[in-house]
Amino acid sequence: MESSSDSNDRGGPYKPNRREFIKLMAAAGAGSLVGGSSQAAYAASGMGTHTKPFSPFKKVHAEIEEMYAISRDYQRMRQKNTVFNRGFWDKKVRPNFLGNVAKKSGMIPFPQEGTPGYSKVDWALHWAGWAGHRAGTPLMGAGARNTGNYDDWERHANPKFEPYAFKDRAEAAKYVKRAANFLGADLVGIAPYDARWTYSKWFDLDPSIEDTKSLEIPWDKMKEVEGVFPFEPKSVIAMAFEMDYDALKAPGFLSGAAAGLGYSIMPEVSFKVADFLNNLGYKSIPTGNDTGMSIPIAIQAGLGECSRMGMLITEKYGPRVRLAKIYTDLEMEFDKPVSFGVEEFCKRCKKCTEACPSNAISIDDEPSATSTTGSISSNSGVKKWYQDGEKCMLQWDRNGGTGCSFCITACPFNKRDTWIHDLAKVLVGMPVGRDIARQLDDAFGYGKKTDQAARAFWDKEV
Ligand code: SF4
Ligand code: SF4
């Protein structure tokens, strides 16, 4: 059954049912495009409960290079230069780091009763969402590896058991994926270890810091070390965690709660999967945003495509995911990169560009091989759209550290896993369908954070 709250959180009175949607497609000229095809039959069949993603245009690639041009001169990124890490040392970013300016100027949004998304209950949920992150690994979000639940590299790299003998690499992959899914990952894929995505130097907490759980970030206690693992990784397990659709559609503390919950789940599950591997005698390193770039690894593991806004877009949840990864010496069968029309759709869509309050997202029609932002936080060498992390961070600051995510909310790929989403994928796969899909997205009132969504969040029946 389609959720009744769908009608509430679109921010408009229009609630198309399945029949109206198909009529709309026909009216928009899409009917003739899918007429007679299996997709039309799919649409007309009055299919029942949605079960799995439907992507008639999905392509499986042998290598990531078949999807993105990667320069031979590509240089590994220094972790110190990521925008979060720059909050520790760069005067250009540091004043804007996680609400610093807002705090100083008194702009930080304390609970405001009567303002949807900013009330005391919204505020309370925001901090509850982040609680696991705060308790388990408060500094990972800023990039510090080997801290909190991601720590103990020494133990994880030295399991006390003999390696368990899987029948073959396919069997090893099967068991690891099922375990990761059981332990809490919504999507799991396995990529070969590719050193290009490991930061050339890691930006670490000074080991003399004992209280890594303190909310007080030790500004002057970070240092660089060579990005070299204590063992030779063979595979990387990429995991994605869905963020709550309803909360992300709401403004302020509620959408921040969705991001926080993702950050709280990442270390918990990552740590457990690393433990599973250790128990089987394999070395493993659980990581979040730290140590290496999660998005190219997730792409190599077949979880999704890179987008204009710079985020991974998955088939099932669109960009509404957080990512974590585990490096291991267990050799497994690898997944393959997949494409399902994201880059082509992004060329025309640009809804995230329009929605971004800080102009951090490119408006260029075509992706570029070199960074267009002029920021050291954009690592050139891959043909894609470059998002300006500095501008984005400034916006987070303006929002008082509650985050932003207007781009995720705006994205037409950000949908519930429903039949409408599947039909939209048919359109996305066809050149003429892409404009129609974007127009329908607007017509349905998708893409905006609304006060109504904040009220609907709490009214949802449980
Ligand atoms: S999070 Fe906000 S400021 Fe950052 S890119 Fe997205 S819309 Fe722009
Ligand atoms: S909003 Fe549109 S342009 Fe931006 S990432 Fe999503 S599909 Fe691409």
Side-chain angles (χ1 to χ4, degrees):
M1 191 180 90
E2 302 303 332
S3 166
S4 59
S5 68
D6 241 19
S7 61
N8 295 331
D9 58 19
R10 284 179 188 140
Y14 180 46
K15 180 193 175 191
N17 58 32
R18 185 176 304 161
R19 188 182 299 270
E20 288 166 338
F21 180 83
I22 293 166
K23 274 188 193 164
L24 243 172
M25 281 182 60
S32 62
L33 292 166
V34 296
S37 69
S38 59
Q39 288 80 37
Y42 182 77
S45 68
M47 61 202 171
T49 309
H50 183 264
T51 52
K52 61 180 182 177
F54 174 72
S55 271
F57 299 94
K58 184 155 93 177
K59 285 188 203 151
V60 178
H61 302 274
E63 304 288 344
I64 194 171
E65 282 82 357
E66 287 181 9
M67 292 167 65
Y68 307 99
I70 302 173
S71 164
R72 286 211 185 110
D73 303 328
Y74 174 85
Q75 300 282 319
R76 287 162 67 185
M77 189 171 184
R78 212 167 143 182
Q79 189 176 335
K80 186 178 182 179
N81 290 340
T82 64
V83 77
F84 278 121
N85 279 208
R86 286 172 64 198
F88 286 93
W89 62 271
D90 190 340
K91 290 195 175 97
K92 196 171 170 195
V93 172
R94 185 170 163 173
N96 306 324
F97 195 50
L98 301 180
N100 272 349
V101 168
K103 278 178 208 157
K104 279 186 207 138
S105 61
M107 280 165 54
I108 190 138
F110 293 110
Q112 297 162 19
E113 287 311 323
T115 307
Y118 290 90
S119 70
K120 184 70 188 255
V121 286
D122 301 326
W123 174 88
L125 193 70
H126 175 95
W127 288 110
W130 282 97
H133 173 73
R134 261 198 336 271
T137 180
L139 291 171
M140 182 282 308
R145 72 179 179 109
N146 208 353
T147 59
N149 275 11
Y150 295 115
D151 78 353
D152 216 349
W153 279 33
E154 175 75 20
R155 178 174 75 81
H156 287 302
N158 294 288
K160 52 188 177 191
F161 304 109
E162 285 302 306
Y164 174 79
F166 286 105
K167 194 171 64 187
D168 54 26
R169 291 162 65 120
E171 186 187 67
K174 178 181 123 172
Y175 278 92
V176 167
K177 284 186 187 176
R178 180 67 185 108
N181 172 247
F182 168 78
L183 292 168
D186 292 310
L187 303 174
V188 191
I190 297 172
Y193 174 67
D194 187 330
R196 288 176 296 185
W197 319 129
T198 302
Y199 294 123
S200 59
K201 288 178 189 282
W202 292 323
F203 197 48
D204 263 9
L205 251 193
D206 187 315
S208 67
I209 297 292
E210 288 174 6
D211 182 14
T212 58
K213 294 191 175 176
S214 167
L215 280 179
E216 290 302 314
I217 297 172
W219 300 105
D220 55 348
K221 295 292 183 185
M222 301 294 286
K223 65 186 182 72
E224 282 196 299
V225 297
E226 289 299 322
V228 179
F229 287 97
F231 60 88
E232 190 186 342
K234 296 285 171 40
S235 316
V236 192
I237 302 154
M239 302 186 296
F241 307 94
E242 183 192 10
M243 291 189 284
D244 189 89
Y245 180 89
D246 299 299
L248 269 182
K249 188 124 170 72
F253 290 122
L254 277 180
S255 62
L261 189 57
Y263 269 99
S264 291
I265 292 169
M266 287 158 57
E268 181 194 328
V269 178
S270 196
F271 176 81
K272 287 173 178 168
V273 174
D275 211 49
F276 174 72
L277 289 159
N278 283 165
N279 293 340
L280 292 171
Y282 291 98
K283 300 172 182 180
S284 63
I285 297 285
T287 68
N289 290 358
D290 55 294
T291 306
M293 299 172 169
S294 298
I295 292 175
I297 293 168
I299 291 168
Q300 278 182 317
L303 296 193
E305 283 188 64
C306 193
S307 65
R308 173 182 291 277
M309 68 170 101
M311 297 188 69
L312 180 80
I313 292 198
T314 66
E315 270 192 281
K316 193 166 181 183
Y317 306 113
R320 204 176 66 255
V321 291
R322 301 238 77 93
L323 301 172
K325 58 209 182 289
I326 296 137
Y327 299 86
T328 178
D329 66 341
L330 172 60
E331 296 191 57
M332 289 177 274
E333 186 173 75
F334 301 131
D335 291 292
K336 302 282 185 200
V338 296
S339 56
F340 45 95
V342 171
E343 183 174 307
E344 289 308 310
F345 191 79
C346 284
K347 284 180 183 175
R348 303 175 75 101
C349 168
K350 302 183 183 177
K351 283 187 83 167
C352 53
T353 308
E354 290 167 13
C356 177
S358 68
N359 296 320
I361 301 174
S362 169
I363 198 165
D364 297 345
D365 289 342
E366 294 292 329
S368 163
T370 50
S371 168
T372 50
T373 66
S375 163
I376 58 169
S377 294
S378 300
N379 201 35
S380 283
V382 178
K383 193 172 180 195
K384 61 173 189 167
W385 287 282
Y386 287 84
Q387 186 248 34
D388 191 327
E390 291 175 31
K391 288 182 180 171
C392 179
M393 188 58 62
L394 184 58
Q395 184 60 36
W396 287 26
D397 182 68
R398 288 193 199 102
N399 295 347
T402 59
C404 173
S405 71
F406 275 64
C407 46
I408 297 177
T409 308
C411 182
F413 285 98
N414 172 35
K415 295 288 185 298
R416 295 180 201 282
D417 186 24
T418 62
W419 65 272
I420 289 183
H421 191 187
D422 283 350
L423 286 176
K425 285 177 190 166
V426 176
L427 295 175
V428 168
M430 296 179 295
V432 69
R434 289 174 197 132
D435 287 340
I436 296 166
R438 191 194 191 284
Q439 286 160 16
L440 288 178
D441 207 67
D442 290 339
F444 289 170
Y446 284 118
K448 292 187 178 63
K449 291 184 188 296
T450 63
D451 291 352
Q452 195 181 9
R455 287 187 282 267
F457 175 86
W458 290 107
D459 288 343
K460 186 174 181 176
E461 269 191 54
V462 291

